[in-house]
């Protein structure tokens, strides 16, 4: 279950956002994709499950090009967006988490099981009837993670998951990510700030101006700071 | 992991975008319902901005998806979401004195869209000639107020003239302001070509 | 707040949402067919019974619709009034007054529906009534609107506060409407773009698994009542 990106190139009008990037995310790997604002990291990960189609280059999940089977790519690579407030589809926790499995056409019993398991994995078990708008920021982030987990993904991609969270909420989200890693789910965290996640990372890839500037299990802090990334 | 992925019929990218915009328009319409504005000429007439969103939907989404947006608005209210003016909802409101306006919203949104864009394909809002835009908005206004007056007359069992003088005439000056505002909005950078 | 779902275990709570929609529609048809003192008296008794079965408080519910009061009073007043003596003809005001009363009955029935039916159930009923893709768009869409209502409320409250802060109150009315439209539209577009992406990421599909509606023996009497109301309306 690897994500293989080759020669990924994407432009917005005249601006080249991602320029010929090749990167492989291994099964079960905890990868941190770092970079300053506008370095192209969000544009890159949105290609991982075919939400964006690159102008040039290919993305395959488990050896299969994402455009050949977008449903498989999107269930295999779960995506948690920055500011999850716009990503919820239902007013209550359980109904939101159920949305993905419902679309996959699973049986009611299988859906209920997946919702229960996903809520359990983010320590929100038994809170399915609560209204999303009444949750704290950290709880909301965890529900967004559960929504992606309910698709039973092999990889989970999180875009700036710590933005706007206080210390306690960041810790609770980090603990969940650590748990997922132990269960063998691949995790990709997109961030400009390595302080929270560096200790969990198997590898750190830094994008600068749309190209890979650093790809190292334990990069030099000075090299990070130079690319607008806050070192651990 | 194995799921029978080939049986899943994904909603295409374009349709998904249109559904999302229709939903957000319906939600925005209900969120603007109570607005603390007072018209200098008619301080006793409350100004609500629902029709502003009807106009904008027609201009931005075109006839089909503007119609969907306001059908959604109507249905959401029917099943109990507090989307109608004053946070009201329910079949009783749709069959009540102001229900004609609510039924008129989807019709008017479609009318604005159809006159502004025609029936095949959308024009960028800032490329619609002003006279055509104004014509579309006036036609939409006519539909809303006709539906509102007929509804009021039927529900209250009164004559059409009395209905028009009660629920149309006092609101016309504000309707004119909203049309002018919509023309200005269609020419602003809030509407990027999409 | 009387106009929202209230968890409960009444007979009406346990009815299939489709039965409730059917009864509601039948009451409306009957009320328009028999807007007479006798017809409305009979319906008053029926609606009273429905409210009791649905644990819906009559007075409190009506109070939440007080915004309609001017319209309901205006009808009979306008029709009864004359330009010269005798200034008011009671006979002319009777029909509009009955019509106003009919509105109150229908408001009560729909309040009972709303208080006993989850939006989720109504959504499934919509998808059952409107099959095919239009049913998916409208059924799913109602659920999405429910989710975005509080979000957009916050947005537009922010817009209004910002407008006041920037001396917006001194601008012309047209300019203020334009500002609300421009700022509101920007937010609508930004949120819609992100929301569309989230829908795609979660495989938004035309053929999802829906919650199952399972009518029971309880729906029998409700359906009979609805059919009886329609038959009475046709007489």
């Amino acid at each position: 279950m690897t994500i293989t990106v080759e020669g990924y190139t994407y432009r917005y009008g005249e601006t080249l956002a991602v320029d010929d990037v090749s990167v492989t995310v291994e099964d079960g790997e905890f990868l941190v994709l770092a970079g300053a604002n506008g370095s192209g990291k969000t544009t890159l990960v949105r290609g991982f499950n075919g939400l964006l189609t690159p102008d040039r280059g290919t993305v395959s999940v488990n050896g299969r090009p994402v455009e050949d089977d977008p449903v498989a790519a999107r269930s295999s690579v779960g995506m948690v967006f920055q500011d999850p407030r716009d990503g919820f589809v239902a007013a209550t926790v359980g109904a939101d988490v159920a949305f993905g499995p419902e679309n996959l056409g699973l049986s009611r019993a299988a859906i209920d099981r997946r919702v229960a398991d996903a809520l359990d994995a983010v320590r929100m078990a038994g809170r399915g009837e609560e209204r999303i708008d009444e949750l704290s920021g950290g709880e909301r982030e965890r529900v967004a993670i559960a929504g992606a987990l309910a698709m039973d993904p092999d990889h989970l991609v999180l875009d700036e998951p710590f933005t706007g969270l206080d210390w306690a909420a960041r810790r609770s989200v980090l603990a969940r990510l650590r748990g997922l890693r132990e269960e063998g789910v691949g995790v990709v965290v997109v961030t400009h700030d390595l302080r929270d996640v560096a200790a969990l990372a198997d590898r750190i890839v830094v994008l600068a101006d749309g190209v890979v500037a650093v790809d190292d299990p334990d990069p030099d802090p000075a090299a990070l700071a130079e690319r607008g990334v806050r070192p651990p | 992991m194995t799921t029978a992925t080939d049986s899943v019929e994904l909603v295409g990218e374009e349709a998904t975008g249109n559904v999302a915009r229709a939903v957000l328009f319906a939600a925005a319409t209900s969120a603007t319902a109570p607005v603390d504005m007072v018209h200098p000429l008619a301080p006793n007439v409350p100004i609500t901005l629902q029709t502003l969103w009807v106009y904008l939907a027609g201009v931005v989404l075109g006839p089909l998806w503007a119609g969907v947006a306001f059908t959604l608005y109507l249905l959401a209210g029917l099943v109990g979401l507090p989307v109608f003016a004053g946070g009201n909802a329910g079949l009783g409101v749709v069959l009540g004195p102001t229900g004609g306006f609510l039924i008129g919203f989807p019709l008017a949104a479609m009318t604005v869209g159809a006159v502004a864009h025609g029936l095949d394909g959308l024009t960028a809002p800032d490329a619609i000639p002003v006279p055509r835009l104004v014509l579309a908005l006036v036609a939409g206004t006519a539909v809303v107020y006709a539906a509102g007056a007929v509804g009021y007359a039927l529900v209250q069992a009164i004559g059409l003239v009395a209905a028009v003088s009660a629920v149309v005439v006092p609101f016309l000056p504000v309707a004119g302001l909203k049309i002018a505002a919509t023309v200005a909005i269609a020419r602003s950078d809030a509407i990027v070509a999409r | 707040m009387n106009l929202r779902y209230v968890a409960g275990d009444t007979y009406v709570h346990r009815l299939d949402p489709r039965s409730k929609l059917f009864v509601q529609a039948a009451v409306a048809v009957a009320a328009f067919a028999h807007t007479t003192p006798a017809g409305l008296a009979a319906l008053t008794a029926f609606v009273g019974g429905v409210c009791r079965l649905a644990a819906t408080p009559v007075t409190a519910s009506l109070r939440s619709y007080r915004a309609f009061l001017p319209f309901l009073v205006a009808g009979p007043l306008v029709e009864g009034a004359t330009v010269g003596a005798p200034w008011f003809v009671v006979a002319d005001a009777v029909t509009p007054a009955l019509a106003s009363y009919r509105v109150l009955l229908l408001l009560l029935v729909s309040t009972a529906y709303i208080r006993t039916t989850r939006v989720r159930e109504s959504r499934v009923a919509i998808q059952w009534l409107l099959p095919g893709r239009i049913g998916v768009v409208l059924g799913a869409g109602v659920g999405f609107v429910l989710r975005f209502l509080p979000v957009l409320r916050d947005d537009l409250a922010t817009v209004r506060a910002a407008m006041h802060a920037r001396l917006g109150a001194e601008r012309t009315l047209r300019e203020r409407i334009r500002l609300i439209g421009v700022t509101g539209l920007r937010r609508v577009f930004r949120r819609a773009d992100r929301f569309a992406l989230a829908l795609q990421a979660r495989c938004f599909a035309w053929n999802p698994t829906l919650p199952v509606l399972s009518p029971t023996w309880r729906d029998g009497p409700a359906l009979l009542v609805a059919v009886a109301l329609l038959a009475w309306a046709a007489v």
Side-chain angles (χ1 to χ4, degrees), chain B residues 4 11 61 108 131 135-136 140:
Chain B
V11 179
L61 304 180
L135 181 69

Side-chain angles (χ1 to χ4, degrees), chain A residues 88-91 131 133, chain B residues 19-31 68-77 79 81-83, chain C residues 119 137-153 195:
Chain A
F88 294 118
V89 300
R131 297 183 69 82
D133 270 284
Chain B
V19 169
R21 283 193 280 275
V23 165
L24 268 294
F25 266 85
T29 305
S30 35
V68 170
F70 281 90
T71 308
L72 260 180
Y73 173 81
L74 193 59
L75 269 178
V79 304
L81 307 197
V83 296
Chain C
V119 172
V137 167
L138 295 176
V142 165
F144 299 156
V145 172
L146 173 66
R147 193 269 158 285
F148 275 100
L149 267 184
V151 179
L152 268 289
R153 286 239 163 93
F195 181 51

Side-chain angles (χ1 to χ4, degrees), chain B residues 49-73:
Chain B
L49 291 185
Q50 286 132 309
T51 46
L52 177 70
W53 288 99
V54 172
Y55 297 155
L56 290 174
V59 171
V60 175
L61 304 180
L64 174 64
W65 290 97
V68 170
F70 281 90
T71 308
L72 260 180
Y73 173 81

Side-chain angles (χ1 to χ4, degrees), chain C residues 120-182:
Chain C
R120 209 180 309 159
E121 292 175 81
S122 298
R123 183 213 146 157
V124 182
I126 290 173
Q127 243 158 303
W128 178 83
L129 280 168
L130 306 167
R133 297 195 161 182
I134 190 71
V136 176
V137 167
L138 295 176
V142 165
F144 299 156
V145 172
L146 173 66
R147 193 269 158 285
F148 275 100
L149 267 184
V151 179
L152 268 289
R153 286 239 163 93
D154 285 1
D155 274 357
L156 287 152
T158 316
V159 168
R160 232 171 286 157
M163 225 169 63
H164 280 292
R166 276 185 262 129
L167 289 177
E170 287 172 19
R171 292 172 192 258
T172 65
L173 191 53
R174 190 199 75 114
E175 180 59 10
R176 279 190 286 154
I177 296 174
R178 190 191 70 82
L179 264 180
I180 288 191
V182 167

